[in-house]
Amino acid sequence: MPNYGVLVDIETTGLDPVENVILEIGMILFNRDTFEEVDTFSHVVVNDVVIEHLNHLRDTAEWVKSNLPQATQMGIEGAKFVYEMHQANGLDAHIRQLYAQYYRCDLAQIETAAVEWLKGYHISRKQTEAPAVGSSVHFDRKFIDMKMPKLGNEVLHYRNVDISTLKTLVNWWLPSVKEKRTESLNPQRLHRALDDCRDSLGELKFYHEALFNENVVMKDWS
C-alpha cells in the first residue's frame, strides 16, 4: 500500500469555530514518496445557515468600512478582509448561485462523504494512520474537530503536519533555503480549498527536496 498523506484545507466565514461556519472543505490524497496526487475531495456547504452567515459577513464588512476605528476596538475589522477574500475568489458567488438553483448540501452530508472517501483508501485511526497535512493546519483542525467530529476524531490522526512550521524554521535559520524557496515556488494563494492544498503540496515537496533528501543529509553529516 502506498504511503499516503492527506492535505486538508477549509474556507470559513472567520477565525472562530464557535461563531463562524465552514463554507468549503478540500482534501488531496497524495503519495508521500512521489508527491503525486492520488485523489481529491472537495465540497461547498450550501444551506440556509450558510447564506445567513454570508449575509451577516457582508453587512458587517460594509459597516467596518465606515467605522474602522470602532471596528478595530471591537475586534471585528477582520470581517472586511474575509468578505473581500471570498468575493475575489468567487466562493461567495459560487455558493449563492448553487443556493439559487435549489441545491442544498449540509456539513453533515459532506462529513459522511469525506469519511467514506478516506475509508475507501483504508485511512482511519483503526486502519492506516494519516495526520492532517497543511499550512497552519491547526486552524483547519479546530473547525473540523468541532464541527465534523467523526472526521476529526475517528478518521484523521490526532497529530498534524504543519507546513507553516517548516516555513518559520527556514526563515529563522536557513536564509539560503528561504531564498531558493522564493525562486522555486509560485503559490497561487487563491483561497479556495483545493487550490490552497496544491500550494501546500508544492511547498511540502520543496522542503522534502531541500531539507529531507536522505542522500544530501547523509553526505552533509559524513
Side-chain angles (χ1 to χ4, degrees):
M1 181 179 296
N3 292 318
Y4 289 141
V6 182
L7 276 153
V8 181
D9 185 80
I10 62 169
E11 298 298 327
T12 72
T13 55
L15 302 177
D16 188 339
V18 176
E19 298 293 332
N20 303 122
V21 297
I22 295 174
L23 301 175
E24 181 181 42
I25 180 170
M27 293 186 286
I28 294 178
L29 187 72
F30 68 99
N31 187 309
R32 298 201 310 261
D33 299 320
T34 65
F35 291 90
E36 294 178 350
E37 291 186 19
V38 177
D39 200 356
T40 62
F41 178 95
S42 177
H43 280 282
V44 292
V45 187
V46 185
N47 57 24
D48 293 344
V49 172
V50 162
I51 295 298
E52 288 174 7
H53 275 264
L54 287 175
N55 289 342
H56 178 70
L57 180 63
R58 177 195 59 204
D59 295 343
T60 304
E62 289 298 322
W63 186 85
V64 168
K65 286 182 183 179
S66 304
N67 301 273
L68 186 57
Q70 186 177 353
T72 302
Q73 187 176 17
M74 295 168 64
I76 61 172
E77 73 279 7
K80 178 176 177 292
F81 171 81
V82 175
Y83 174 71
E84 291 176 350
M85 179 179 71
H86 291 322
Q87 291 298 304
N89 66 17
L91 182 55
D92 183 288
H94 183 199
I95 292 172
R96 290 183 186 277
Q97 181 181 28
L98 290 172
Y99 187 81
Q101 295 170 348
Y102 301 102
Y103 172 85
R104 299 291 184 271
C105 187
D106 293 331
L107 191 60
Q109 295 172 268
I110 295 172
E111 179 181 29
T112 298
V115 167
E116 292 304 313
W117 179 71
L118 287 170
K119 286 186 175 180
Y121 288 97
H122 308 288
I123 293 173
S124 73
R125 293 198 184 181
K126 294 181 179 179
Q127 299 178 75
T128 304
E129 293 183 350
V133 183
S135 299
S136 298
V137 71
H138 57 86
F139 167 80
D140 307 270
R141 282 303 292 264
K142 283 195 303 183
F143 276 84
I144 290 171
D145 291 349
M146 176 177 290
K147 298 178 182 295
M148 307 173 81
K150 191 169 184 178
L151 176 62
N153 299 323
E154 296 182 23
V155 179
L156 295 172
H157 195 272
Y158 64 87
R159 292 194 181 96
N160 299 319
V161 176
D162 192 345
I163 299 168
S164 298
T165 298
L166 293 173
K167 180 194 291 287
T168 300
L169 297 179
V170 163
N171 291 348
W172 284 0
W173 296 321
L174 296 170
S176 62
V177 176
K178 177 183 177 182
E179 182 178 354
K180 185 178 179 182
R181 181 187 65 208
T182 302
E183 295 171 353
S184 302
L185 299 181
N186 183 31
Q188 299 301 299
R189 297 190 177 93
L190 298 176
H191 298 292
R192 291 297 300 267
L194 281 184
D195 294 313
D196 287 359
C197 281
R198 291 193 171 102
D199 281 346
S200 295
L201 183 61
E203 188 169 0
L204 184 63
K205 182 179 180 180
F206 169 82
Y207 291 131
H208 174 263
E209 295 171 351
L211 304 175
F212 300 105
N213 185 315
E214 188 173 20
N215 294 329
V216 174
V217 171
M218 294 307 295
K219 181 179 177 182
D220 290 342
W221 280 89
S222 62

